[in-house]
């Protein structure tokens, strides 16, 4: 066990990034994630590990600073909330195309547009189906606790380098702002320049006599080459699906009905499961931990066991489309959720389950 | 043991910090804890509230629709949260500034004149610790020694000189809370 602290989700992920050996954070403040930047400025990692912490003049600047840093093999991170993530999308698409590792934190707030500063899960489509342009995917992790905010910073960097891809941590105002107990992992030293040269042979670390120039780009005017590049990306996404799909089963073994929920909504649904079980309803919860790759096989399997599924999201219903694809018409799949910064209560979820699924 | 608490009042009354001290106290005795604040525009000069959960087992939802205990420190919060106390639960409030007193008969209601006591002592900053003391008298979910450790953790070091007066405030709150 490492070090035990009471922290906000936003503080935990900032501390974890320093401990994971991050080389640089570039961001711009926006509620409800400003504590990430504030925390980093208060612990001053530039005086200890040498990690750069920089408040850029805009989100667009911040993401392009990440692009530059990652191109040199550096372990970089940015964070924002929904409207700010939209501004970063061009850079994220470029980095996916250029195959660069990056950790992005989105502490989601209600939208569309400037929306509201309250928690929401309305950015599922943006995180999992593009957001930026082009045939690309992000590896998307959905933390449901402050502990996972810390743990997923480390895991996120591992995945970013394993697949040479931007990784998004899709959090929200609840997980970002709440405080819980966190068991912090021991610090890992930042990689030396020699280690970066050795482990990132693709990076622009300075050309040596015995190799070709490394070029970081997302552009290829030769369409045949570009098609091959996109096919290669696709092979990588399929490998993510095969090797790194993550989910948690909660009371699923004997379940007759199933809730599917991620992040803070999964926490609310856990309480719904407890209350339903006390009433004699055999309810389970499947919590996707990775939203891409999505736990399609597991949901497909559960479709052979339960009578109906309710996808519970703080949105109009976005993940429900992926649940339906996995279930493929075998059983009813519906959505329930508040949106626009409103949060559904455990009791509202149970009432919805009864009226839409059990009674429906 | 699971205790689900809402603390609600004006920004500046120490609502969020009272919750934080309670959460830290829980950690000091190996409990699971969660602290979920309101962080919206209402915080900027209006009402503030925080949901604190202390439990011996894993905490599911940090966001709740009903509470074991509501600690209510202004009228707006009374209007909003009196109805959210579980049947058989506890409502604690400071009558100062309350015009519409709680009327439910299926919960137990206590009053604590913390504002008056704090101003009598000329120290508004101990207000929230007086209230916390009242709560702990009714619900000894954490031991006072662990509260002191929690205080030490959540107060910046430069304020550690204030620890004794905070302890006295907690003890005072334990004395002055009364059943309505």
């Amino acid at each position: 066990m490492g070090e035990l602290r009471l922290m906000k989700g936003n503080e935990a992920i900032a501390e974890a990034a320093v401990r994971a050996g991050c080389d640089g954070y570039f961001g711009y403040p926006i509620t409800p994630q400003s504590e990430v930047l504030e925390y980093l400025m208060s612990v001053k990692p530039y005086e200890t590990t040498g990690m750069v912490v920089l408040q850029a003049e805009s989100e667009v600047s911040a993401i392009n600073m990440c692009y530059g840093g990652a191109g040199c093999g550096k372990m970089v991170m940015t964070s924002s909330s929904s409207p700010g993530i939209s501004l970063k999308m061009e850079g994220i698409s470029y980095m996916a195309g250029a195959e660069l590792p990056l950790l992005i934190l989105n502490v989601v707030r209600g939208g569309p547009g400037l929306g509201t500063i309250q928690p929401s899960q309305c950015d599922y489509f943006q995180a999992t189906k593009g957001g930026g342009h082009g045939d690309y995917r992000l590896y998307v992790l959905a933390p449901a606790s402050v502990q996972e905010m810390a743990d997923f910073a480390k895991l996120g960097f591992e995945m970013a380098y394993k697949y040479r891809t931007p990784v998004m941590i899709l959090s929200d105002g609840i997980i970002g702002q709440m405080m819980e107990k966190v068991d912090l992992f021991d610090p890992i030293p930042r990689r030396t320049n020699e280690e970066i040269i050795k482990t990132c042979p693709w990076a622009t670390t300075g050309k040596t006599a015995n190799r070709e120039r490394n070029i970081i780009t997302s552009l290829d005017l030769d369409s045949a080459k570009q098609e091959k590049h996109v096919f290669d990306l696709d092979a990588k996404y399929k490998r993510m699906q095969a090797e790194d799909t993550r989910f948690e089963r909660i009371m699923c073994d004997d379940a007759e009905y199933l809730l599917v929920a991620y992040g803070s909504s999964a926490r609310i649904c856990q309480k719904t499961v407890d209350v339903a079980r006390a009433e004699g309803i055999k309810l389970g919860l499947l919590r996707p931990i990775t939203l891409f790759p999505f736990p399609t096989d597991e949901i497909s399997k559960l479709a052979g066991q339960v009578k109906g599924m309710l996808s519970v999201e703080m949105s109009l219903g976005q993940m429900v489309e992926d649940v339906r694809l996995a279930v493929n018409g075998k059983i009813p799949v519906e959505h329930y959720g508040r949106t626009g910064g409103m949060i559904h209560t455990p009791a509202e979820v149970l009432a919805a389950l009864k009226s839409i699924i059990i009674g429906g | 043991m699971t205790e689900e608490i809402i603390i609600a009042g004006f920004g500046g009354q120490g609502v969020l910090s009272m919750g934080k001290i309670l959460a830290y106290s829980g950690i000091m005795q190996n409990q699971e804890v969660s602290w979920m604040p309101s962080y919206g525009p209402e915080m900027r000069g209006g009402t503030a509230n925080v949901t604190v959960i202390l439990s011996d087992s894993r905490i599911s939802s940090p966001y709740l629709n009903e509470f074991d205990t509501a600690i209510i420190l202004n009228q707006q919060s009374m209007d909003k949260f009196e109805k959210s106390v579980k049947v058989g639960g506890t409502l604690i409030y400071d009558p100062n500034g309350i015009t519409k007193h709680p009327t439910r008969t299926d919960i137990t209601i206590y009053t604590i004149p913390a504002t008056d006591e704090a101003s009598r002592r000329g120290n508004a900053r101990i207000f929230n610790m007086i209230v916390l003391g009242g709560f702990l008298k009714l619900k000894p979910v954490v031991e006072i020694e662990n509260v002191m450790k929690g205080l030490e953790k959540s107060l910046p070091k430069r304020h550690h000189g204030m620890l004794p007066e905070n302890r006295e405030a907690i003890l005072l709150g334990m004395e002055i809370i009364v059943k309505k």
Side-chain angles (χ1 to χ4, degrees):
Chain A
M1 191 162 99
E3 192 186 335
L4 214 54
R5 281 200 220 165
L6 181 69
M7 296 180 109
K8 283 191 172 196
N10 287 337
E11 296 167 342
I13 197 169
E15 174 65 31
V18 179
R19 287 175 181 241
C22 182
D23 294 307
Y25 169 93
F26 307 93
Y28 188 79
I30 179 172
T31 306
Q33 66 79 52
S34 297
E35 292 84 1
V36 178
L37 180 55
E38 286 168 10
Y39 182 89
L40 289 171
M41 286 299 188
S42 73
V43 297
K44 300 185 174 69
Y46 35 89
E47 291 177 359
T48 52
T49 70
M51 172 185 170
V52 172
V53 182
L54 197 144
Q55 177 176 333
E57 67 270 40
S58 74
E59 285 86 350
V60 177
S61 275
I63 193 68
N64 284 293
M65 288 174 181
C66 287
Y67 194 176
C72 305
K74 298 286 186 183
M75 189 184 282
V76 292
M77 174 187 179
T78 189
S79 69
S80 192
S81 178
S82 311
I85 295 290
S86 291
L87 288 167
K88 290 180 205 261
M89 272 302 160
E90 181 197 47
I92 292 170
S93 168
Y94 277 47
M95 290 182 76
E99 296 194 83
L100 294 179
L102 163 69
L103 187 68
I104 314 151
L105 167 67
N106 184 359
V107 183
V108 179
R109 59 191 249 179
L114 272 181
T116 173
I117 62 174
Q118 297 297 324
S120 182
Q121 295 183 312
C122 53
D123 296 354
Y124 178 92
F125 283 153
Q126 186 193 47
T128 62
K129 317 247 179 223
H133 57 281
D135 266 337
Y136 81 94
R137 299 286 196 164
L138 302 175
Y139 186 81
V140 184
L141 285 160
S145 64
V146 175
Q147 182 67 52
E148 284 188 344
M149 284 287 263
D151 295 345
F152 288 0
K154 189 175 166 196
L155 175 64
F157 279 127
E158 279 168 23
M159 293 295 114
Y161 278 85
K162 176 175 176 183
Y163 294 108
R164 273 183 65 189
T165 187
V167 169
M168 180 174 280
I169 296 186
L170 194 70
S171 179
D172 64 60
I174 293 182
I175 304 293
Q177 291 295 326
M178 73 186 285
M179 286 202 288
E180 289 185 308
K181 196 157 69 170
V182 197
D183 187 357
L184 290 163
F185 57 87
D186 292 333
I188 303 161
R190 282 176 54 229
R191 296 158 308 150
T192 60
N193 284 342
E194 292 69 33
E195 284 167 334
I196 292 174
I197 290 167
K198 211 174 136 196
T199 54
C200 305
W202 45 266
T204 50
T205 46
K207 186 187 172 314
T208 47
N210 55 359
R211 67 162 169 84
E212 289 296 300
R213 285 184 303 156
N214 283 339
I215 299 171
I216 304 288
T217 182
S218 65
L219 173 73
D220 204 323
L221 293 175
D222 179 341
S223 293
K225 280 192 189 163
Q226 181 64 16
E227 185 190 46
K228 185 187 175 300
H229 174 56
V230 177
F231 284 158
D232 289 346
L233 290 179
D234 187 48
K236 183 163 85 173
Y237 303 140
K238 292 205 165 79
R239 196 154 69 85
M240 282 182 197
Q241 236 153 353
E243 295 176 21
D244 285 296
T245 303
R246 291 174 160 83
F247 57 85
E248 184 185 7
R249 288 165 54 104
I250 297 166
M251 309 287 278
C252 285
D253 290 353
D254 65 340
E256 290 178 1
Y257 299 98
L258 191 74
L259 302 177
V260 185
Y262 67 93
S264 55
S265 191
R267 291 287 293 273
I268 293 164
C269 286
Q270 260 173 265
K271 183 104 182 169
T272 306
V273 169
D274 292 344
V275 178
R277 290 258 166 188
E279 289 183 17
I281 301 168
K282 286 189 177 167
L283 182 62
L285 167 65
L286 186 87
R287 174 169 81 95
I289 293 173
T290 51
L291 301 180
F292 185 86
F294 193 69
T296 305
D297 292 346
E298 188 63 21
I299 290 177
S300 172
K301 237 187 289 171
L302 283 160
Q305 174 193 325
V306 303
K307 295 175 189 164
M309 294 187 190
L310 188 65
S311 180
V312 185
E313 313 161 54
M314 294 190 293
S315 73
L316 287 181
Q318 302 189 5
M319 181 178 70
V320 65
E321 295 188 0
D322 288 331
V323 179
R324 285 200 177 111
L325 283 171
V327 168
N328 203 12
K330 272 186 255 175
I331 52 164
V333 176
E334 299 296 340
H335 164 262
Y336 174 74
R338 305 289 300 267
T339 186
M342 295 300 288
I343 305 166
H344 36 254
T345 65
E348 286 172 338
V349 175
L350 185 58
L353 177 82
K354 285 177 182 171
S355 70
I356 304 172
I357 298 292
I358 299 178
Chain B
M1 186 283 299
T2 296
E3 178 74 11
E4 297 171 336
I5 308 150
I6 181 124
I7 310 171
F10 287 118
Q13 278 179 316
V15 165
L16 300 186
S17 62
M18 192 194 326
K20 193 172 163 184
I21 290 159
L22 199 52
Y24 252 125
S25 315
I27 288 186
M28 293 302 143
Q29 51 190 65
N30 276 326
Q31 290 169 341
E32 297 299 320
V33 303
S34 77
W35 177 95
M36 177 69 215
S38 60
Y39 65 88
E42 74 269 31
M43 246 181 83
R44 291 154 193 183
T47 61
N49 70 68
V50 62
T51 300
V52 177
I53 307 174
L54 303 175
S55 181
D56 295 328
S57 48
R58 181 177 165 180
I59 293 168
S60 54
S61 178
Y63 183 78
L64 301 167
N65 45 291
E66 50 174 18
F67 305 92
D68 297 308
T69 302
I71 300 174
I72 293 178
L73 303 170
N74 66 5
Q75 186 61 51
Q76 290 96 318
S77 304
M78 184 68 81
D79 298 341
K80 198 168 168 189
F81 294 113
E82 181 188 355
K83 57 182 179 292
S84 308
V85 180
K86 289 180 194 171
V87 173
T90 304
L91 189 158
I92 299 169
Y93 75 104
D94 184 338
N96 187 284
I98 297 289
T99 49
K100 278 163 56 195
H101 291 259
T103 54
R104 279 180 63 179
T105 52
D106 57 350
I107 58 174
T108 317
I109 300 173
Y110 295 85
T111 61
I112 182 160
T115 309
D116 290 351
E117 283 293 336
S119 61
R120 186 173 307 153
R121 280 148 214 269
N123 188 355
R125 284 189 302 191
I126 59 169
F127 166 79
N128 62 347
M129 289 299 101
I130 298 176
V131 176
L132 181 63
F135 166 74
L136 291 173
K137 170 79 190 258
L138 307 178
K139 300 271 179 110
V141 284
V142 284
E143 288 165 28
I144 185 151
E145 293 320 314
N146 287 321
V147 177
M148 293 313 294
K149 282 189 208 159
L151 255 168
E152 245 182 276
K153 280 269 184 184
S154 57
L155 273 181
K157 277 218 167 65
R158 63 180 189 278
H159 290 148
H160 279 190
M162 288 158 59
L163 287 172
E165 65 188 77
N166 279 287
R167 186 191 183 94
E168 281 167 34
I170 291 169
L171 296 173
L172 174 67
M174 289 179 162
E175 279 171 34
I176 63 171
I177 190 159
V178 289
K179 197 166 170 181
K180 189 168 178 265

